[in-house]
Amino acid sequence: MPTGSGANQATFAGELSVDGSTVSIRRDTDVASERVSVSLPAVVSVTDQTGEARYPAFKAIMGAKKKPIQTMSLADLGVDAAQVGWSGASSKVVDVSPTPARTAGTIVNDDGTGAAQLADFLAGRGFI
Amino acid sequence: MSEVLVLAETTAAGVRKPTLELLTAARALGEPAAVVFGDASDQVVSQLAEYGATKVYAVGAPEMQEFLSLPKAEAVVQIAQASNPVAILVTSGPEGKDVAARVAVRLNAGIIPDATTVSLDGDTVSAVQTVFAGRFQATSQVLRGPAVVTMRPNATSAEAAPASAGVESVDVSVSDGAKGAKVDSREPKVSTGRPELTDAAMVVAGGRGVGSEEGFGVIEKTADALGAAVGASRTVTDQHWAPHELQVGQTGKTVAPSLYLAAGISGAIQHRAGMQSSKTIVVVNKDAKAPLFQIADFGVVGDLHAVLPALVDEVAKRKG
Ligand SMILES: Cc1cc2nc3c(=O)[nH]c(=O)nc-3n(C[C@H](O)[C@H](O)[C@H](O)COP(=O)(O)OP(=O)(O)OC[C@H]3O[C@@H](n4cnc5c(N)ncnc54)[C@H](O)[C@@H]3O)c2cc1C
């Protein structure tokens, strides 16, 4: 079961390097740090750990405006209209509501007794 | 009642807590059946049964460990096609999301990622997601089942409901196409002896206010005094004052412990996104205007380098 394009996939790369036709990544899960290699062509997704973003300079932004934009229809892509949009959706959002606001509690100024007051609060809630 | 497949995550220490949360959530939808990749030891099976699994599918094929995600997805698809579950629950994490996405595509089923709760109304599965950095709750229905839902760790609490689970071995023939991403090595995270951040009942987190890598030590000492896990803001992890895996927030871990004690953290929206569902929030910050005070149950305006060491002494005194 490769991706639809037939390419390999390696996801959540925190570190990435390419050697010839092989892409190697480091991938951190909750329980382990994994090294994974895939051969090209591959779809690779990265996390914000892979590196600093390079922001385009003004000249490049202006240059981008002149790049040709190609418009494709569903037919061009060979996609059946019933598979996409509302008719193709496999889930729908039925409600969106604001998260109930939290209200601020007791705030004390540390006059030297801040830690003791905090310890009282924590003990009162069973944390100590 | 239909089956609900729960993809179990196990380590050498047994079943991970997020899996027990999934089993708890699954019981509201149908009969939980766990899928175990690798060794379904007696310990693992009895732990799964304790949290309500009525069946355990054991997938022993070595490909499950040797390659990334896709062999697991093929195994789950095969099991789902035979057992016709109402839903497939997966833990939100790099691997879970990968597997869930593949499974949904292959079954032509609806997927809801990063859910906090899941429910069943008639035959329709709905799930709630916390969106826009925690500001809104979105409820969605799955229109084509089985509903594939990935659930955030810590969003629900794990409650035992003992059942008895039979084990069914599943033979999977993994396709060549699923063997594209080879796992060359897998290093288990070294244990710090502290609770794991996403599992912990208490978290003590430090921000830029700690001042330096050495300064971060006061956060660790406070955490150890309370028996809490350690967390950090992104500023701290970006400066390498603490390892990246301790980052809490939109681009780090989402936690919802009983107690979240934040010191020297201003309370940027991206940080709040990862901790605002905590039951009790305590803030120590020298700036009374720090936004995190607005959601604090208790706050101390003061220097964390004075307040926290004094707190450690207070805790020691009270614990005797
Ligand atoms: C796309 C994106 C994603 C992001 N993801 C995350 C994320 O996942 N997690 C995250 O945390 N951030 C994230 N951020 C960064 C976020 O916007 C903030 O910059 C960051 O959380 C600030 O960290 P801080 O609170 O430690 O530092 P600051 O905002 O600098 O706050 C430091 C606080 O310490 C206090 N302080 C200073 N000295 C002391 C002292 N001696 N005693 C007590 N208090 C003191 C100050 O009053 C101040 O309130 C993200 C940003 C972006 C743009």
Side-chain angles (χ1 to χ4, degrees):
Chain A
M1 185 172 31
T3 47
S5 61
N8 289 316
Q9 69 168 20
T11 51
F12 296 96
E15 207 179 283
L16 157 90
S17 62
V18 183
D19 180 13
S21 61
T22 305
V23 178
S24 302
I25 66 161
R26 192 200 76 231
R27 183 183 207 258
D28 291 313
T29 69
D30 280 344
V31 292
S33 182
E34 303 168 330
R35 298 260 164 199
V36 178
S37 52
V38 296
S39 48
L40 295 172
V43 176
V44 179
S45 73
V46 299
T47 71
D48 61 354
Q49 293 296 296
T50 38
E52 291 297 315
R54 269 185 302 168
Y55 295 99
F58 183 69
K59 210 173 138 202
I61 295 171
M62 294 311 286
K65 290 187 174 165
K66 295 205 188 75
K67 298 283 181 200
I69 295 174
Q70 192 185 350
T71 307
M72 292 179 140
S73 69
L74 291 177
D76 292 337
L77 297 168
V79 173
D80 178 357
Q83 285 187 318
V84 295
W86 290 116
S87 50
S90 55
S91 64
K92 74 170 176 195
V93 177
V94 291
D95 181 61
V96 177
S97 39
T99 303
R102 290 185 80 111
T103 45
T106 313
I107 311 292
V108 300
N109 270 307
D110 182 30
D111 53 3
T113 65
Q117 292 186 63
L118 175 51
D120 285 342
F121 173 82
L122 294 176
R125 297 228 174 168
F127 294 121
I128 300 179
Chain B
M1 244 199 316
S2 302
E3 217 164 84
V4 181
L5 290 184
V6 167
L7 274 49
E9 293 185 341
T10 57
T11 64
V15 181
R16 295 192 65 226
K17 191 175 136 209
T19 300
L20 305 179
E21 294 165 6
L22 292 185
L23 287 168
T24 307
R27 301 201 300 259
L29 310 179
E31 296 216 354
V35 180
V36 174
F37 303 102
D39 185 24
S41 66
D42 291 349
Q43 183 210 355
V44 163
V45 173
S46 70
Q47 232 180 325
L48 294 167
E50 192 191 336
Y51 284 81
T54 53
K55 193 191 258 181
V56 173
Y57 292 103
V59 186
E63 288 92 343
M64 302 298 139
Q65 270 70 43
E66 289 166 1
F67 303 94
L68 221 54
S69 312
L70 301 193
K72 288 183 179 165
E74 286 191 347
V76 175
V77 166
Q78 185 182 315
I79 294 167
Q81 281 168 341
S83 73
N84 214 0
V86 60
I88 301 173
L89 303 188
V90 189
T91 299
S92 275
E95 176 166 75
K97 284 187 182 175
D98 246 20
V99 173
R102 296 269 110 200
V103 167
V105 168
R106 272 295 285 265
L107 296 175
N108 190 26
I111 182 167
I112 302 177
D114 281 334
T116 51
T117 61
V118 61
S119 59
L120 183 70
D121 183 12
D123 312 324
T124 308
V125 174
S126 302
V128 178
Q129 296 162 297
T130 299
V131 296
F132 296 128
R135 275 182 279 195
F136 290 88
Q137 306 294 319
T139 307
S140 300
Q141 283 176 351
V142 172
L143 303 177
R144 280 201 306 273
V148 181
V149 181
T150 79
M151 296 197 66
R152 286 208 164 153
N154 254 322
T156 45
S157 51
E159 279 153 35
S164 67
V167 179
E168 186 175 314
S169 300
V170 182
D171 281 325
V172 192
S173 58
V174 177
S175 73
D176 285 342
K179 297 180 191 169
K182 189 166 182 317
V183 177
D184 299 320
S185 70
R186 178 177 285 127
E187 251 178 72
K189 291 260 156 78
V190 279
S191 168
T192 53
R194 297 194 180 95
E196 234 207 279
L197 181 54
T198 44
D199 289 1
M202 293 187 252
V203 173
V204 177
R208 192 197 297 275
V210 302
S212 64
E213 189 176 347
E214 300 76 61
F216 194 74
V218 72
I219 299 297
E220 296 170 328
K221 285 196 191 92
T222 310
D224 291 345
L226 290 166
V230 172
S233 74
R234 176 155 170 179
T235 309
V236 166
T237 55
D238 278 356
Q239 311 254 23
H240 304 292
W241 295 348
H244 173 66
E245 64 243 36
L246 297 188
Q247 183 183 316
V248 172
Q250 192 177 316
T251 47
K253 301 264 162 69
T254 303
V255 300
S258 304
L259 172 67
Y260 190 86
L261 193 166
I265 297 178
S266 61
I269 181 89
Q270 296 90 354
H271 186 81
R272 283 153 71 149
M275 49 64 74
Q276 62 197 352
S277 316
S278 305
K279 270 126 232 137
T280 298
I281 296 174
V282 169
V283 173
V284 179
N285 195 304
K286 68 176 184 191
D287 176 8
K289 292 201 190 70
L292 204 54
F293 278 126
Q294 290 163 13
I295 59 166
D297 296 287
F298 192 88
V300 180
V301 181
D303 182 353
L304 70 91
H305 290 291
V307 176
L308 294 186
L311 176 64
V312 170
D313 292 344
E314 287 286 340
V315 173
K317 238 194 292 176
R318 284 161 206 247
K319 283 188 173 170

